[in-house]
Amino acid sequence: APRVAHAWLPSPRNLLDMDTFSKSDPVVVLFVQGSGSSEWKEFGRTEVIDNTLNPDFVRKFVLNYYFEEKQNLRFDPPGSHSAVLGAQDFLGQAFVALGEVIGSQRGRLERALTGVPGKRCGTILLLAEELSNCRDIVTMQLCANKLDKKDFFGKSDPFLVFYRSNEDGTFTICHKTEVVKNTLNPVWQPFTIPVRALCNGDYDRTVKIDVYDWDRDGSHDFIGEFATSYRELSRAQSQFTVYEVLNPRKKCKKKKYVNSGTVTLLSFSVESEFTFVDYIRGGTQLNFTVAIDFTASNGMPSQPTSLHYASPYQLSAYALALKAVGEIIQDYDSDKLFPAYGFGAKLPPDGKISHQFPLNNNVDNPSCAGIEGVLESYLQSLRTVQLYGPTNFAPVINQVAGAAAQVTDGSQYHVLLIITDGVISDMLQTKEAIVTASALPMSIIIVGVGPAEFEAMEELDGDEVRVSSRGRYAERDIVQFVPFRDYVDDSGNQVLSMARLAKDVLAEIPEQLLSYMKTRDIKPRRADP
C-alpha cells in the first residue's frame, strides 16, 4: 500500500526560447516508469503558460509514494502546446526518482534539463508535499448516569457502541467500549480511535452512539441512543458535554418519559499520527551500512560455482542484492557516503581473521562514495583477502549499534544490510546484539544468497516469535530477512527481479522507523519555511 499521496508542482527556469517573435509557451508532461520496466508512460500534463521562459505551474500531479520502490519520473517541457507531443519544440528533459525529491531538503529539488546538444536548457524545480489524509487520533472518556435498569436480579451491565454514518444514510460500527458490570452509573476506560474511522474526516458527519446492557447469551438489551458529531465532541476539550440517552420505543409508549439516563463526555483530546515522510522532511537522515560475508563456504571467487563469482556478463548475487537495496536507500542519505565492511576473512599481510574489516581498507574512514564506491571496494577486497570463517554477525551489528547509540534524538536512523550465505556461527551473541539494537534507531536487513535452508535467519527475523536473549525480548521487530533465490525468476528479467527484492526487504523500514520514534515520543522536526 502507498505510504501517502504526493502532489507535485514543477517550475522550469530559464528555458530555451524556441519562438521567433515571442518567448516559448511551455507545458510540462510527466512520464512514469513502471517498477522493473523500461517503458515510459504519460501520467499527466500541466496547463500551458503563454510567452514565458520561467513558468510557475498551478496544476499538480498527484502520485502514490512507495518508499520500497524505485519510482522513476521524467519531466518533458515541450516548447509549445500543439496537439502532437512529437511535433513540439524540444526544450530538454529531466529524470528524477520520487525518493530523491522526498529525501531532499524541504521536499524541494532543482534538476538541470538536458538533451539539446551544445545548449544549456535551463532547470526544473520540483516541489513535493504530502496530501492531508486526516491522520488525527482521538482519545476520549465517557461516563453515564442513571441508566435504565435492565437486569431482574441486579442493575445493568452497560457498554457503548459507536457508529459512523455513511453517504447512503446507513451506519457502520467503528468502536465498542468494554462492559462495566452491575451499575447504572458506569465510568468507561479512555479509548483511542482514528478520526477517519470515527467520521471519515468529515467533522460534521453524524456519529450515533447506542447504549446496551450486556447479556451472557449475546442478546444484549437496548437501553437507548444519542447522536453527535466529531465537531460537537471536540468542544468537550473545554467543557463537559452531557447527552440524553433516548429510547424511541419508550418515548412513543410513555407520555411522561424523559430519558433513559445521560452520558457525559469527560475528556476529549486529539493528536496527530506522524508518517515516515514527516520525519524525512523534518531532516531525519537514513544512514546505510553494508556488511558482506567473506567466509569460505561461499566458494572460491574465481570459480563459476562461487556465490562471489562475477562473469563478464552478470554481477554476482552479492553485488546484485547490494545494488537493488542500495540504489533506493541512497536517496535518503544526503552525503551518499556508506560505511562498508566484510566479515569472516583472513586479511593480509599476517592472515589475521576479521569480522568487521573495512572494504576500502581504511580503518579510520570505512565510508565509500555511493553504491558504486561500495561495489568497487567489494570487488577489490575479493582480490586481496582470503575467504575463511567463521560466520559471525554480532561484531558488525554491535559496530552499527554503537554508531546509532551516539545520536538517539530522531535526526539519524541506521539501516544495516547484511548479505550472507547463511551458515551463522555466533547465534547466541547475534541474538544478544539484536535485542540491544532494538532499543536504538536502527534496522537490520539480511539477504541470504545460495542454496542454504536459512532456518537461523528466519528465527532472527522475529515475525512469528520476538527475538530474545537471556530472558530479555527485543523491544521492536528490527530484522527483515529474505532469501535471494526467491527473486531469481526463469524469465531472466533481472531488473524486475531486483525491483521485487528491494521492495520486499525495504517495505518494513518506514514502520520500523515510526515504531522507534513512537516509543521514544520523538516528533518530527518542523521543516524550515
Side-chain angles (χ1 to χ4, degrees), residues 455-512:
E455 291 99 334
M457 301 299 109
E458 299 283 4
E459 187 178 344
L460 296 178
D461 191 308
D463 280 344
E464 302 296 328
V465 180
R466 189 65 60 89
V467 176
S468 64
S469 173
R470 296 190 293 182
R472 284 195 311 144
Y473 281 85
E475 209 175 282
R476 303 179 295 125
D477 174 18
I478 63 167
V479 179
Q480 172 73 346
F481 166 75
V482 297
F484 184 85
R485 60 171 175 259
D486 288 359
Y487 299 88
V488 180
D489 60 26
D490 298 332
S491 68
N493 187 338
Q494 193 180 92
V495 174
L496 185 58
S497 299
M498 292 307 98
R500 284 176 45 239
L501 169 71
K503 184 175 179 177
D504 284 359
V505 297
L506 292 172
E508 292 186 13
I509 297 294
E511 294 305 324
Q512 290 175 359

Side-chain angles (χ1 to χ4, degrees), residues 32-41 66-73 324 328 489 493-504:
V32 297
Q33 197 175 52
S35 180
S37 167
S38 58
E39 183 185 354
W40 291 100
K41 293 183 179 177
Y66 303 85
F67 166 77
E68 62 273 15
E69 291 184 16
K70 188 81 169 175
Q71 293 175 268
N72 292 322
L73 310 174
I328 289 175
D489 60 26
N493 187 338
Q494 193 180 92
V495 174
L496 185 58
S497 299
M498 292 307 98
R500 284 176 45 239
L501 169 71
K503 184 175 179 177
D504 284 359

Side-chain angles (χ1 to χ4, degrees), residues 80-93:
S80 65
H81 57 281
S82 59
V84 183
L85 191 59
Q88 297 163 342
D89 300 315
F90 183 65
L91 297 182
Q93 54 190 188

Side-chain angles (χ1 to χ4, degrees), residues 15-255:
L15 293 174
L16 284 173
D17 191 359
M18 305 299 280
D19 290 356
T20 307
F21 298 107
S22 63
K23 296 186 172 70
S24 294
D25 305 329
V27 56
V28 169
V29 184
L30 170 61
F31 292 87
V32 297
Q33 197 175 52
S35 180
S37 167
S38 58
E39 183 185 354
W40 291 100
K41 293 183 179 177
E42 182 176 334
F43 183 85
R45 302 179 178 213
T46 65
E47 73 279 15
V48 176
I49 299 183
D50 293 336
N51 200 28
T52 179
L53 302 181
N54 296 288
D56 284 315
F57 295 105
V58 173
R59 189 173 299 159
K60 300 176 182 180
F61 299 119
V62 179
L63 297 138
N64 287 327
Y65 159 61
Y66 303 85
F67 166 77
E68 62 273 15
E69 291 184 16
K70 188 81 169 175
Q71 293 175 268
N72 292 322
L73 310 174
R74 190 182 94 208
F75 293 88
D76 290 10
S80 65
H81 57 281
S82 59
V84 183
L85 191 59
Q88 297 163 342
D89 300 315
F90 183 65
L91 297 182
Q93 54 190 188
F95 296 86
V96 67
L98 179 50
E100 286 183 83
V101 188
I102 303 297
S104 61
Q105 195 170 19
R106 303 194 304 275
R108 174 190 176 103
L109 182 72
E110 191 164 4
R111 183 59 53 91
L113 293 164
T114 60
V116 181
K119 291 188 177 180
R120 297 179 67 177
C121 302
T123 61
I124 187 166
L125 180 65
L126 301 168
L127 303 175
E129 62 180 18
E130 186 172 4
L131 296 183
S132 172
N133 60 348
C134 193
R135 293 182 278 121
D136 290 345
I137 291 180
V138 167
T139 301
M140 65 177 103
Q141 184 177 22
L142 301 101
C143 69
N145 192 41
K146 296 182 180 176
L147 293 176
D148 286 352
K149 180 178 178 295
K150 289 288 184 179
D151 292 349
F152 189 73
F153 293 108
K155 296 172 181 173
S156 292
D157 303 323
F159 67 96
L160 303 177
V161 182
F162 286 70
Y163 299 88
R164 176 184 70 242
S165 61
N166 302 315
E167 297 287 347
D168 61 0
T170 60
F171 287 88
T172 300
I173 185 169
C174 58
H175 182 74
K176 274 185 189 177
T177 67
E178 78 282 9
V179 176
V180 181
K181 292 289 189 75
N182 199 31
T183 179
L184 302 180
N185 303 296
V187 179
W188 289 282
Q189 293 292 320
F191 67 90
T192 298
I193 182 171
V195 171
R196 61 180 176 272
L198 190 64
C199 65
N200 209 24
D202 179 353
Y203 291 176
D204 296 307
R205 184 173 293 204
T206 300
V207 176
K208 186 165 78 79
I209 301 167
D210 289 352
V211 187
Y212 283 95
D213 168 42
W214 177 84
D215 281 335
R216 189 183 301 276
D217 62 5
S219 59
H220 311 308
D221 299 317
F222 179 69
I223 294 175
E225 64 185 12
F226 61 96
T228 181
S229 66
Y230 173 85
R231 195 178 300 282
E232 192 175 305
L233 289 165
S234 65
R235 295 190 187 117
Q237 292 178 89
S238 54
Q239 63 187 51
F240 284 168
T241 303
V242 180
Y243 297 96
E244 278 194 302
V245 178
L246 301 175
N247 187 318
R249 289 181 67 182
K250 274 193 172 183
K251 194 174 181 180
C252 290
K253 286 181 179 178
K254 297 183 179 179
K255 288 183 179 179

